[in-house]
Amino acid sequence: MSPARIFILDANVFIESAKRYYAFDIAPGFWDALIRHARGGLVRSIDKVKDEIDRGNDDLTTWIGGNFHQWFDSTNQQDVIDAYATVMGWAQSQPQYIPGAKAEFANNADGWLIAFALAKGFTVVTDERYNSDIKRRIPIPNACNGVGVSYLDTFALMRELGVKLSSPA
């Protein structure tokens, strides 16, 4: 049996889940599962993702602060910084993306998330989709493919972790 993968969550996993399909009042089991699997060492995120979430100053920010804050790892580690240079080098070398897309990618958490996964051998979880034709932004899956990082979406994560949401009634 192969060792379990460790998953590093993008901001949109938290944000989209809280605002849409796993709202706190509808699917508390989703949030409980994140905590359970974080305690088990399988689910994490990074400081730069937390910074993005904190800007929302909403129920998600409150939940993170009270329940998940300890599972946001620092990107200020030499292996992550080295991997970030690799990710940025890949992004800058891609002629399909407009300069604004490259600048945005360099200034948000996405590149750091991918770099963290690359440095640590983790799997990125994002609800972004691969798009071979896009020019105006660099989707996380495109960059993951470019530097050899595995990724999946929230639903695949839940299936892989065996998360089941059920109603008590």
Side-chain angles (χ1 to χ4, degrees), residues 42-95:
L42 298 179
V43 174
R44 318 198 60 72
S45 195
I46 60 168
D47 52 2
K48 307 234 184 259
V49 164
K50 184 176 184 304
D51 292 345
E52 285 186 4
I53 292 168
D54 285 347
R55 286 195 290 270
N57 196 23
D58 55 13
D59 289 343
L60 177 59
T61 307
T62 302
W63 182 85
I64 292 289
N67 298 283
F68 203 87
H69 61 91
Q70 64 267 43
W71 293 295
F72 287 93
D73 294 328
S74 173
T75 52
N76 190 17
Q77 302 174 46
Q78 194 57 54
D79 60 340
V80 176
I81 294 166
D82 293 344
Y84 182 75
T86 299
V87 172
M88 287 302 113
W90 172 85
Q92 293 304 317
S93 73
Q94 301 305 302

Short mmCIF file of all heavy atoms in Angstrom, two decimals, residues 42-95:
data_model
loop_
_atom_site.label_atom_id
_atom_site.label_comp_id
_atom_site.label_asym_id
_atom_site.label_seq_id
_atom_site.Cartn_x
_atom_site.Cartn_y
_atom_site.Cartn_z
N LEU A 42 -3.04 15.06 6.59
CA LEU A 42 -3.26 14.91 5.15
C LEU A 42 -3.71 16.18 4.45
O LEU A 42 -3.63 16.27 3.23
CB LEU A 42 -4.30 13.81 4.90
CG LEU A 42 -3.93 12.42 5.37
CD1 LEU A 42 -5.04 11.44 5.08
CD2 LEU A 42 -2.62 11.96 4.74
N VAL A 43 -4.20 17.16 5.19
CA VAL A 43 -4.73 18.40 4.60
C VAL A 43 -4.05 19.59 5.26
O VAL A 43 -3.97 19.66 6.49
CB VAL A 43 -6.27 18.49 4.78
CG1 VAL A 43 -6.80 19.83 4.32
CG2 VAL A 43 -6.96 17.36 4.04
N ARG A 44 -3.59 20.52 4.42
CA ARG A 44 -2.89 21.72 4.88
C ARG A 44 -3.16 22.85 3.90
O ARG A 44 -3.77 22.64 2.87
CB ARG A 44 -1.37 21.51 4.93
CG ARG A 44 -0.96 20.17 5.48
CD ARG A 44 0.46 20.12 5.92
NE ARG A 44 0.80 21.07 6.97
CZ ARG A 44 0.41 21.00 8.24
NH1 ARG A 44 -0.36 20.03 8.61
NH2 ARG A 44 0.79 21.88 9.11
N SER A 45 -2.63 24.00 4.20
CA SER A 45 -2.58 25.09 3.24
C SER A 45 -1.35 25.93 3.58
O SER A 45 -0.50 25.48 4.34
CB SER A 45 -3.87 25.92 3.24
OG SER A 45 -3.90 26.73 2.07
N ILE A 46 -1.28 27.12 3.00
CA ILE A 46 -0.11 27.97 3.22
C ILE A 46 -0.51 29.34 3.72
O ILE A 46 -1.65 29.77 3.56
CB ILE A 46 0.75 28.10 1.94
CG1 ILE A 46 -0.06 28.74 0.80
CG2 ILE A 46 1.34 26.77 1.54
CD1 ILE A 46 0.77 29.17 -0.40
N ASP A 47 0.46 30.03 4.29
CA ASP A 47 0.24 31.36 4.86
C ASP A 47 -0.32 32.35 3.84
O ASP A 47 -1.19 33.15 4.17
CB ASP A 47 1.54 31.90 5.47
CG ASP A 47 2.75 31.86 4.54
OD1 ASP A 47 2.63 31.44 3.35
OD2 ASP A 47 3.85 32.21 5.01
N LYS A 48 0.10 32.28 2.60
CA LYS A 48 -0.36 33.24 1.59
C LYS A 48 -1.83 33.01 1.25
O LYS A 48 -2.55 33.95 0.92
CB LYS A 48 0.51 33.16 0.35
CG LYS A 48 2.00 33.31 0.71
CD LYS A 48 2.67 34.37 -0.05
CE LYS A 48 4.15 34.42 0.25
NZ LYS A 48 4.53 35.46 1.16
N VAL A 49 -2.30 31.78 1.32
CA VAL A 49 -3.72 31.48 1.14
C VAL A 49 -4.51 32.06 2.30
O VAL A 49 -5.55 32.68 2.12
CB VAL A 49 -3.96 29.96 0.98
CG1 VAL A 49 -5.42 29.59 1.18
CG2 VAL A 49 -3.47 29.50 -0.39
N LYS A 50 -4.00 31.88 3.51
CA LYS A 50 -4.67 32.45 4.69
C LYS A 50 -4.78 33.97 4.56
O LYS A 50 -5.82 34.55 4.89
CB LYS A 50 -3.94 32.09 5.98
CG LYS A 50 -4.69 32.58 7.23
CD LYS A 50 -4.00 32.12 8.50
CE LYS A 50 -4.76 32.53 9.74
NZ LYS A 50 -5.05 33.94 9.89
N ASP A 51 -3.72 34.61 4.07
CA ASP A 51 -3.76 36.06 3.86
C ASP A 51 -4.90 36.44 2.92
O ASP A 51 -5.61 37.43 3.16
CB ASP A 51 -2.43 36.57 3.30
CG ASP A 51 -1.28 36.45 4.29
OD1 ASP A 51 -1.53 36.24 5.50
OD2 ASP A 51 -0.12 36.54 3.84
N GLU A 52 -5.08 35.68 1.84
CA GLU A 52 -6.18 35.96 0.91
C GLU A 52 -7.53 35.79 1.59
O GLU A 52 -8.44 36.61 1.41
CB GLU A 52 -6.10 35.04 -0.32
CG GLU A 52 -5.02 35.40 -1.30
CD GLU A 52 -5.05 34.57 -2.57
OE1 GLU A 52 -5.97 33.74 -2.75
OE2 GLU A 52 -4.14 34.76 -3.40
N ILE A 53 -7.68 34.73 2.36
CA ILE A 53 -8.95 34.48 3.05
C ILE A 53 -9.22 35.56 4.09
O ILE A 53 -10.35 36.05 4.22
CB ILE A 53 -8.93 33.09 3.70
CG1 ILE A 53 -8.93 32.01 2.61
CG2 ILE A 53 -10.12 32.90 4.64
CD1 ILE A 53 -8.64 30.61 3.11
N ASP A 54 -8.20 35.97 4.82
CA ASP A 54 -8.36 36.98 5.87
C ASP A 54 -8.86 38.31 5.32
O ASP A 54 -9.53 39.06 6.04
CB ASP A 54 -7.06 37.19 6.64
CG ASP A 54 -6.75 36.06 7.59
OD1 ASP A 54 -7.64 35.21 7.86
OD2 ASP A 54 -5.60 36.00 8.09
N ARG A 55 -8.57 38.60 4.07
CA ARG A 55 -9.05 39.85 3.46
C ARG A 55 -10.57 39.87 3.34
O ARG A 55 -11.17 40.92 3.22
CB ARG A 55 -8.38 40.09 2.11
CG ARG A 55 -6.94 40.53 2.23
CD ARG A 55 -6.41 41.10 0.93
NE ARG A 55 -6.23 40.12 -0.12
CZ ARG A 55 -5.12 39.42 -0.33
NH1 ARG A 55 -4.07 39.58 0.45
NH2 ARG A 55 -5.05 38.56 -1.33
N GLY A 56 -11.20 38.69 3.38
CA GLY A 56 -12.65 38.62 3.28
C GLY A 56 -13.36 39.10 4.52
O GLY A 56 -14.50 39.55 4.46
N ASN A 57 -12.73 38.99 5.68
CA ASN A 57 -13.30 39.45 6.94
C ASN A 57 -14.77 39.02 7.07
O ASN A 57 -15.66 39.85 7.24
CB ASN A 57 -13.14 40.96 7.08
CG ASN A 57 -13.36 41.42 8.50
OD1 ASN A 57 -13.23 40.64 9.44
ND2 ASN A 57 -13.72 42.68 8.67
N ASP A 58 -15.01 37.71 7.00
CA ASP A 58 -16.37 37.18 7.00
C ASP A 58 -16.44 35.92 7.87
O ASP A 58 -15.52 35.65 8.65
CB ASP A 58 -16.82 36.90 5.57
CG ASP A 58 -15.86 35.98 4.81
OD1 ASP A 58 -14.97 35.37 5.43
OD2 ASP A 58 -16.01 35.87 3.57
N ASP A 59 -17.50 35.13 7.71
CA ASP A 59 -17.64 33.90 8.49
C ASP A 59 -16.50 32.92 8.24
O ASP A 59 -16.08 32.22 9.15
CB ASP A 59 -18.97 33.21 8.17
CG ASP A 59 -20.17 33.95 8.72
OD1 ASP A 59 -20.00 34.81 9.61
OD2 ASP A 59 -21.30 33.66 8.26
N LEU A 60 -16.01 32.88 7.01
CA LEU A 60 -14.89 31.99 6.71
C LEU A 60 -13.64 32.42 7.46
O LEU A 60 -12.95 31.59 8.04
CB LEU A 60 -14.62 31.95 5.20
CG LEU A 60 -13.41 31.11 4.77
CD1 LEU A 60 -13.56 29.65 5.21
CD2 LEU A 60 -13.23 31.21 3.26
N THR A 61 -13.38 33.71 7.49
CA THR A 61 -12.23 34.23 8.23
C THR A 61 -12.34 33.84 9.70
O THR A 61 -11.36 33.40 10.32
CB THR A 61 -12.14 35.76 8.10
OG1 THR A 61 -12.17 36.11 6.72
CG2 THR A 61 -10.90 36.31 8.75
N THR A 62 -13.53 33.98 10.26
CA THR A 62 -13.77 33.61 11.65
C THR A 62 -13.54 32.12 11.85
O THR A 62 -12.89 31.70 12.83
CB THR A 62 -15.19 34.00 12.08
OG1 THR A 62 -15.35 35.41 11.87
CG2 THR A 62 -15.46 33.64 13.53
N TRP A 63 -14.06 31.29 10.95
CA TRP A 63 -13.90 29.85 11.07
C TRP A 63 -12.43 29.45 11.00
O TRP A 63 -11.95 28.66 11.81
CB TRP A 63 -14.69 29.12 9.98
CG TRP A 63 -14.57 27.62 10.12
CD1 TRP A 63 -15.33 26.82 10.92
CD2 TRP A 63 -13.63 26.77 9.47
NE1 TRP A 63 -14.90 25.52 10.81
CE2 TRP A 63 -13.86 25.46 9.92
CE3 TRP A 63 -12.60 26.99 8.55
CZ2 TRP A 63 -13.12 24.36 9.48
CZ3 TRP A 63 -11.85 25.91 8.12
CH2 TRP A 63 -12.11 24.61 8.58
N ILE A 64 -11.71 30.03 10.04
CA ILE A 64 -10.27 29.74 9.90
C ILE A 64 -9.54 30.11 11.19
O ILE A 64 -8.76 29.31 11.71
CB ILE A 64 -9.67 30.52 8.70
CG1 ILE A 64 -10.21 30.00 7.38
CG2 ILE A 64 -8.14 30.50 8.75
CD1 ILE A 64 -9.75 28.64 6.94
N GLY A 65 -9.82 31.30 11.69
CA GLY A 65 -9.14 31.76 12.90
C GLY A 65 -9.40 30.89 14.12
O GLY A 65 -8.53 30.72 14.96
N GLY A 66 -10.59 30.32 14.19
CA GLY A 66 -10.94 29.52 15.35
C GLY A 66 -10.74 28.03 15.18
O GLY A 66 -10.75 27.30 16.18
N ASN A 67 -10.57 27.56 13.94
CA ASN A 67 -10.57 26.11 13.71
C ASN A 67 -9.44 25.55 12.87
O ASN A 67 -9.14 24.36 12.97
CB ASN A 67 -11.89 25.70 13.03
CG ASN A 67 -13.09 26.00 13.88
OD1 ASN A 67 -13.38 25.31 14.82
ND2 ASN A 67 -13.78 27.08 13.53
N PHE A 68 -8.84 26.35 12.00
CA PHE A 68 -7.92 25.78 11.01
C PHE A 68 -6.58 26.52 10.93
O PHE A 68 -5.70 26.12 10.20
CB PHE A 68 -8.61 25.77 9.63
CG PHE A 68 -8.04 24.77 8.67
CD1 PHE A 68 -8.51 23.47 8.64
CD2 PHE A 68 -7.05 25.14 7.76
CE1 PHE A 68 -7.99 22.54 7.75
CE2 PHE A 68 -6.53 24.22 6.87
CZ PHE A 68 -7.00 22.92 6.86
N HIS A 69 -6.43 27.60 11.68
CA HIS A 69 -5.26 28.48 11.52
C HIS A 69 -3.93 27.75 11.66
O HIS A 69 -2.95 28.11 11.03
CB HIS A 69 -5.34 29.66 12.49
CG HIS A 69 -5.36 29.24 13.92
ND1 HIS A 69 -4.21 29.10 14.67
CD2 HIS A 69 -6.39 28.88 14.73
CE1 HIS A 69 -4.54 28.69 15.89
NE2 HIS A 69 -5.86 28.56 15.94
N GLN A 70 -3.88 26.70 12.48
CA GLN A 70 -2.61 26.02 12.75
C GLN A 70 -2.14 25.15 11.57
O GLN A 70 -1.01 24.67 11.59
CB GLN A 70 -2.69 25.19 14.03
CG GLN A 70 -3.68 24.04 14.00
CD GLN A 70 -5.04 24.42 14.54
OE1 GLN A 70 -5.58 25.49 14.24
NE2 GLN A 70 -5.63 23.54 15.32
N TRP A 71 -2.98 24.98 10.56
CA TRP A 71 -2.59 24.15 9.41
C TRP A 71 -2.25 24.96 8.18
O TRP A 71 -2.27 24.45 7.06
CB TRP A 71 -3.68 23.11 9.14
CG TRP A 71 -3.75 22.13 10.27
CD1 TRP A 71 -2.78 21.23 10.64
CD2 TRP A 71 -4.81 21.97 11.19
NE1 TRP A 71 -3.19 20.52 11.75
CE2 TRP A 71 -4.44 20.95 12.11
CE3 TRP A 71 -6.06 22.57 11.35
CZ2 TRP A 71 -5.26 20.55 13.15
CZ3 TRP A 71 -6.87 22.16 12.39
CH2 TRP A 71 -6.47 21.16 13.27
N PHE A 72 -1.90 26.22 8.38
CA PHE A 72 -1.38 27.06 7.30
C PHE A 72 0.13 27.15 7.49
O PHE A 72 0.61 27.76 8.44
CB PHE A 72 -2.01 28.46 7.33
CG PHE A 72 -3.43 28.46 6.86
CD1 PHE A 72 -4.48 28.33 7.76
CD2 PHE A 72 -3.73 28.59 5.51
CE1 PHE A 72 -5.80 28.33 7.33
CE2 PHE A 72 -5.04 28.60 5.08
CZ PHE A 72 -6.08 28.47 5.98
N ASP A 73 0.87 26.52 6.62
CA ASP A 73 2.33 26.46 6.74
C ASP A 73 3.00 27.69 6.15
O ASP A 73 2.50 28.28 5.18
CB ASP A 73 2.87 25.22 6.03
CG ASP A 73 2.43 23.93 6.69
OD1 ASP A 73 2.27 23.91 7.92
OD2 ASP A 73 2.24 22.92 5.97
N SER A 74 4.13 28.04 6.71
CA SER A 74 4.91 29.17 6.23
C SER A 74 5.57 28.83 4.88
O SER A 74 6.11 27.73 4.70
CB SER A 74 6.00 29.52 7.24
OG SER A 74 6.86 30.51 6.70
N THR A 75 5.55 29.78 3.99
CA THR A 75 6.26 29.63 2.72
C THR A 75 7.70 30.13 2.84
O THR A 75 8.47 30.03 1.89
CB THR A 75 5.55 30.40 1.60
OG1 THR A 75 5.32 31.75 2.03
CG2 THR A 75 4.22 29.74 1.25
N ASN A 76 8.06 30.65 3.99
CA ASN A 76 9.40 31.17 4.22
C ASN A 76 10.35 30.02 4.60
O ASN A 76 10.86 29.95 5.71
CB ASN A 76 9.39 32.25 5.29
CG ASN A 76 10.71 32.99 5.39
OD1 ASN A 76 11.53 32.93 4.48
ND2 ASN A 76 10.92 33.66 6.50
N GLN A 77 10.52 29.11 3.66
CA GLN A 77 11.41 27.96 3.80
C GLN A 77 12.26 27.89 2.54
O GLN A 77 11.74 28.09 1.44
CB GLN A 77 10.61 26.67 3.97
CG GLN A 77 9.65 26.68 5.15
CD GLN A 77 8.78 25.44 5.17
OE1 GLN A 77 9.26 24.33 4.99
NE2 GLN A 77 7.48 25.64 5.36
N GLN A 78 13.53 27.59 2.67
CA GLN A 78 14.43 27.67 1.52
C GLN A 78 14.00 26.76 0.37
O GLN A 78 14.05 27.16 -0.79
CB GLN A 78 15.87 27.37 1.92
CG GLN A 78 16.88 27.75 0.84
CD GLN A 78 16.79 29.23 0.46
OE1 GLN A 78 16.87 30.11 1.31
NE2 GLN A 78 16.62 29.52 -0.83
N ASP A 79 13.54 25.55 0.67
CA ASP A 79 13.12 24.67 -0.42
C ASP A 79 11.90 25.23 -1.15
O ASP A 79 11.79 25.10 -2.38
CB ASP A 79 12.87 23.24 0.07
CG ASP A 79 11.80 23.12 1.14
OD1 ASP A 79 11.46 24.13 1.80
OD2 ASP A 79 11.31 21.98 1.34
N VAL A 80 11.03 25.89 -0.44
CA VAL A 80 9.84 26.50 -1.06
C VAL A 80 10.25 27.72 -1.89
O VAL A 80 9.77 27.91 -3.01
CB VAL A 80 8.79 26.88 0.00
CG1 VAL A 80 7.60 27.59 -0.63
CG2 VAL A 80 8.34 25.64 0.76
N ILE A 81 11.15 28.53 -1.36
CA ILE A 81 11.64 29.70 -2.10
C ILE A 81 12.34 29.27 -3.39
O ILE A 81 12.12 29.86 -4.45
CB ILE A 81 12.57 30.55 -1.19
CG1 ILE A 81 11.74 31.16 -0.04
CG2 ILE A 81 13.28 31.63 -2.00
CD1 ILE A 81 12.56 31.73 1.09
N ASP A 82 13.14 28.21 -3.32
CA ASP A 82 13.81 27.69 -4.52
C ASP A 82 12.78 27.18 -5.53
O ASP A 82 12.90 27.42 -6.73
CB ASP A 82 14.78 26.57 -4.15
CG ASP A 82 15.97 27.06 -3.33
OD1 ASP A 82 16.23 28.29 -3.28
OD2 ASP A 82 16.65 26.20 -2.72
N ALA A 83 11.76 26.48 -5.05
CA ALA A 83 10.72 25.97 -5.93
C ALA A 83 9.92 27.11 -6.54
O ALA A 83 9.49 27.04 -7.69
CB ALA A 83 9.81 25.00 -5.17
N TYR A 84 9.72 28.19 -5.75
CA TYR A 84 9.00 29.36 -6.27
C TYR A 84 9.76 29.94 -7.47
O TYR A 84 9.14 30.34 -8.46
CB TYR A 84 8.84 30.40 -5.16
CG TYR A 84 8.07 31.62 -5.58
CD1 TYR A 84 6.69 31.59 -5.74
CD2 TYR A 84 8.72 32.83 -5.82
CE1 TYR A 84 5.96 32.71 -6.13
CE2 TYR A 84 8.01 33.96 -6.21
CZ TYR A 84 6.64 33.89 -6.37
OH TYR A 84 5.94 35.00 -6.76
N ALA A 85 11.07 29.98 -7.39
CA ALA A 85 11.87 30.47 -8.52
C ALA A 85 11.64 29.59 -9.75
O ALA A 85 11.53 30.11 -10.88
CB ALA A 85 13.35 30.51 -8.15
N THR A 86 11.52 28.30 -9.55
CA THR A 86 11.23 27.39 -10.65
C THR A 86 9.86 27.67 -11.26
O THR A 86 9.70 27.74 -12.48
CB THR A 86 11.30 25.92 -10.17
OG1 THR A 86 12.62 25.66 -9.68
CG2 THR A 86 10.93 24.94 -11.26
N VAL A 87 8.86 27.84 -10.41
CA VAL A 87 7.49 28.09 -10.87
C VAL A 87 7.43 29.42 -11.62
O VAL A 87 6.84 29.52 -12.70
CB VAL A 87 6.50 28.08 -9.69
CG1 VAL A 87 5.11 28.53 -10.12
CG2 VAL A 87 6.44 26.68 -9.06
N MET A 88 8.07 30.46 -11.08
CA MET A 88 8.06 31.76 -11.74
C MET A 88 8.84 31.72 -13.05
O MET A 88 8.44 32.35 -14.04
CB MET A 88 8.63 32.85 -10.82
CG MET A 88 7.71 33.24 -9.68
SD MET A 88 6.09 33.83 -10.21
CE MET A 88 5.04 32.53 -9.60
N GLY A 89 9.93 30.98 -13.07
CA GLY A 89 10.69 30.82 -14.31
C GLY A 89 9.84 30.17 -15.40
O GLY A 89 9.86 30.60 -16.56
N TRP A 90 9.09 29.14 -15.00
CA TRP A 90 8.18 28.50 -15.96
C TRP A 90 7.16 29.51 -16.47
O TRP A 90 6.94 29.63 -17.68
CB TRP A 90 7.47 27.30 -15.30
CG TRP A 90 6.40 26.75 -16.20
CD1 TRP A 90 6.57 25.84 -17.20
CD2 TRP A 90 5.03 27.15 -16.24
NE1 TRP A 90 5.38 25.65 -17.86
CE2 TRP A 90 4.41 26.44 -17.28
CE3 TRP A 90 4.25 28.04 -15.50
CZ2 TRP A 90 3.06 26.58 -17.59
CZ3 TRP A 90 2.91 28.18 -15.81
CH2 TRP A 90 2.33 27.45 -16.84
N ALA A 91 6.52 30.24 -15.55
CA ALA A 91 5.47 31.20 -15.94
C ALA A 91 6.01 32.26 -16.89
O ALA A 91 5.38 32.57 -17.91
CB ALA A 91 4.86 31.85 -14.69
N GLN A 92 7.16 32.81 -16.57
CA GLN A 92 7.73 33.88 -17.40
C GLN A 92 8.14 33.37 -18.78
O GLN A 92 8.17 34.14 -19.73
CB GLN A 92 8.91 34.53 -16.70
CG GLN A 92 8.53 35.31 -15.45
CD GLN A 92 7.48 36.38 -15.71
OE1 GLN A 92 7.53 37.12 -16.69
NE2 GLN A 92 6.50 36.47 -14.81
N SER A 93 8.43 32.07 -18.90
CA SER A 93 8.88 31.52 -20.18
C SER A 93 7.73 31.12 -21.10
O SER A 93 7.96 30.70 -22.24
CB SER A 93 9.78 30.31 -19.94
OG SER A 93 9.01 29.18 -19.51
N GLN A 94 6.50 31.26 -20.64
CA GLN A 94 5.34 30.84 -21.43
C GLN A 94 4.83 31.98 -22.30
O GLN A 94 4.27 32.95 -21.80
CB GLN A 94 4.22 30.34 -20.51
CG GLN A 94 4.62 29.18 -19.62
CD GLN A 94 5.17 28.02 -20.41
OE1 GLN A 94 4.51 27.48 -21.28
NE2 GLN A 94 6.41 27.64 -20.12
N PRO A 95 5.01 31.86 -23.61
CA PRO A 95 4.62 32.96 -24.50
C PRO A 95 3.10 33.15 -24.63
O PRO A 95 2.67 34.23 -25.04
CB PRO A 95 5.23 32.56 -25.85
CG PRO A 95 5.38 31.08 -25.79
CD PRO A 95 5.63 30.74 -24.34
#
